[in-house]
Amino acid sequence: MTSSEPKGIRDWLLLPAIGLLISPFVLIVQLLGTMRSVFAPGVWAALTSPESPAYHPLWAPLLILEIAWDVGYLLFFLWVGWKFFAKKREAPKLFIIALAVVPVFQTLELGLTMLIPGAATDLKGSYFDLAKSTVQAVIWISYFRLSERVQNTFVN
């Protein structure tokens, strides 16, 4: 490697770095919001009790899946961030995985939500989020696979 080769967390690589710094806070707020709404007084019982008019057998699995996803993704993202800022060789692959699993999970979650009649009324925001995460994944996965800067930076 010569000194003229691009390396280091600079230029376009700054954007994923900023995302890795901000995202854990966003994920924590998202997790707390989900838990607050799911476990608000009477909500869990209303959605998961067969006697309730709002009951559907998929509510409990969907809500548990959402919370488990938020916790798991937060922990994974923290691990990816540590590898990224330590400039570890596996960081680009882990970052690509972190980007790729979001649209997959959102598709699964959307599919389950569509099976619940009361929940499937207004999904425009979910479709927008899925489209946004898919476009982000395509752009950043391409960058991480093709960038000389990425190849020269993550060598530890």
Side-chain angles (χ1 to χ4, degrees), residues 120-138:
T121 56
D122 185 20
L123 297 175
K124 288 179 192 166
S126 297
Y127 289 121
F128 177 77
D129 290 343
L130 176 58
K132 183 175 76 169
S133 66
T134 301
V135 169
Q136 287 173 340
V138 168

Side-chain angles (χ1 to χ4, degrees), residues 9-130:
I9 300 174
R10 294 185 178 91
D11 300 331
W12 287 109
L13 202 49
L14 279 173
L15 292 176
I18 292 167
L20 284 166
L21 291 173
I22 294 171
S23 290
F25 298 104
V26 172
L27 291 169
I28 289 169
V29 167
Q30 180 179 326
L31 173 62
L32 293 175
T34 300
M35 292 181 72
R36 192 175 307 121
S37 64
V38 168
F39 297 115
V43 173
W44 179 262
L47 296 175
T48 61
S49 295
E51 312 77 52
S52 170
Y55 172 78
H56 191 279
L58 287 177
W59 267 125
L62 178 64
L63 297 171
I64 291 168
L65 179 68
E66 173 101 18
I67 291 168
W69 163 260
D70 287 349
V71 170
Y73 194 67
L74 171 63
L75 295 174
F76 182 71
F77 219 72
L78 290 170
W79 184 51
V80 171
W82 176 75
K83 295 286 188 177
F84 183 94
F85 289 108
K87 298 179 184 170
K88 297 291 184 180
R89 187 178 313 258
E90 62 271 16
K93 288 179 185 167
L94 293 173
F95 195 82
I96 287 170
I97 291 169
L99 291 169
V101 297
V102 173
V104 172
F105 177 79
Q106 287 174 329
T107 301
L108 172 66
E109 183 182 39
L110 188 59
L112 284 173
T113 303
M114 291 172 72
L115 295 174
I116 302 173
T121 56
D122 185 20
L123 297 175
K124 288 179 192 166
S126 297
Y127 289 121
F128 177 77
D129 290 343
L130 176 58

